[in-house]
Amino acid sequence: MSATASRTIEHVTIECCQGDITRQPDMDAVVNAANAELMPGGGVAGAIHRAAGRGLAEECRPQAPIRPGEAVITGGHDLPNRHIIHCLGPIYGVDRPEADLLARCYHNALSLAEANALTRIAFPAISAGAFGYPLEPAAEVALSSVRQFGGDDMRTFQNLRHIRFVLFSAADRDAFSAALHRLAG
Ligand code: AR6
């Protein structure tokens, strides 16, 4: 079992671990790396819809389509989490400026979590699979977006206390951990 990296900045713990986003029972919400139609697909979206059951697609349908950078929230259905937050990341090299659009995904997901008084949220590496975003810059954007959202003393985090990045491979986990260490020292 590989190591999990964890840092606490003020009152917020940020963690990078290897695992499956559909198996995070201690989180209030998990984030879906969605498609614009909010329908099942490959990767994270496929795994989340499979685990959540058909009720998820029913709840998603009226909220679609969404645009790159946007996020919407639904119930967790058959997942062990109360909520799923669906983000549409940028397709690398197509949706520009990609770093801004990716940062907006994280910002909008965190805003929705705060608005719903969630304390624990888990993210996958949005855009880093089928959408082709290179992993290291994707990790940099992900971690710096969390830090920027927090602002001075992380005071924007009124409810969230635990933010977990769940990476599929050990190599991806290590890239996110390195970005976390650069951010938090
Ligand atoms: N748990 C954690 N991480 C995962 C899992 C999982 N179960 N499955 C894949 N990953 P992707 P995107 C990793 O392609 O790039 C879909 O088909 C994966 O290794 O899921 O935003 C949708 O329908 C990669 O590092 O999301 C969209 O059309 C990361 O999660 C499109 O792909 C994201 O990979 C979205 O593409």
Side-chain angles (χ1 to χ4, degrees):
M1 192 62 193
S2 35
T4 292
S6 173
R7 286 285 185 280
T8 301
I9 308 174
E10 303 295 336
H11 52 289
V12 181
T13 297
I14 306 171
E15 185 177 81
C16 302
C17 68
Q18 187 181 2
D20 182 336
I21 195 75
T22 66
R23 294 169 186 265
Q24 306 299 321
D26 57 333
M27 294 283 117
D28 298 323
V30 292
V31 173
N32 182 16
N35 47 67
E37 300 304 324
L38 303 175
M39 287 296 121
V44 170
I48 283 184
H49 277 268
R50 260 193 313 279
R54 288 165 58 169
L56 176 60
E58 294 302 312
E59 188 184 356
C60 282
R61 194 163 287 117
Q63 304 205 61
I66 62 170
R67 287 174 300 183
E70 291 183 342
V72 298
I73 189 166
T74 65
H77 296 267
D78 295 341
L79 277 180
N81 318 98
R82 267 197 292 146
H83 293 286
I84 303 166
I85 296 177
H86 307 259
C87 291
L88 179 61
I91 300 174
Y92 195 76
V94 173
D95 299 316
R96 295 173 198 273
E98 50 260 293
D100 287 355
L101 292 169
L102 185 57
R104 225 176 283 168
C105 284
Y106 288 102
H107 180 94
N108 288 332
L110 293 169
S111 296
L112 278 174
E114 281 292 337
N116 286 273
L118 308 185
T119 60
R120 301 164 71 83
I121 187 171
F123 286 94
I126 300 169
S127 282
F131 283 176
Y133 211 109
L135 195 76
E136 286 190 9
E140 204 67 51
V141 170
L143 273 303
S144 59
S145 299
V146 171
R147 187 66 190 88
Q148 274 165 26
F149 183 89
D152 289 346
D153 301 333
M154 302 290 266
R155 68 173 186 276
T156 317
F157 288 111
Q158 306 227 316
N159 300 294
L160 283 168
R161 293 291 177 272
H162 197 126
I163 297 166
R164 177 179 294 158
F165 290 95
V166 180
L167 293 316
F168 226 18
S169 72
D172 291 2
R173 188 271 327 276
D174 290 346
F176 270 67
S177 300
L180 174 60
H181 293 156
R182 280 194 294 277
L183 190 80

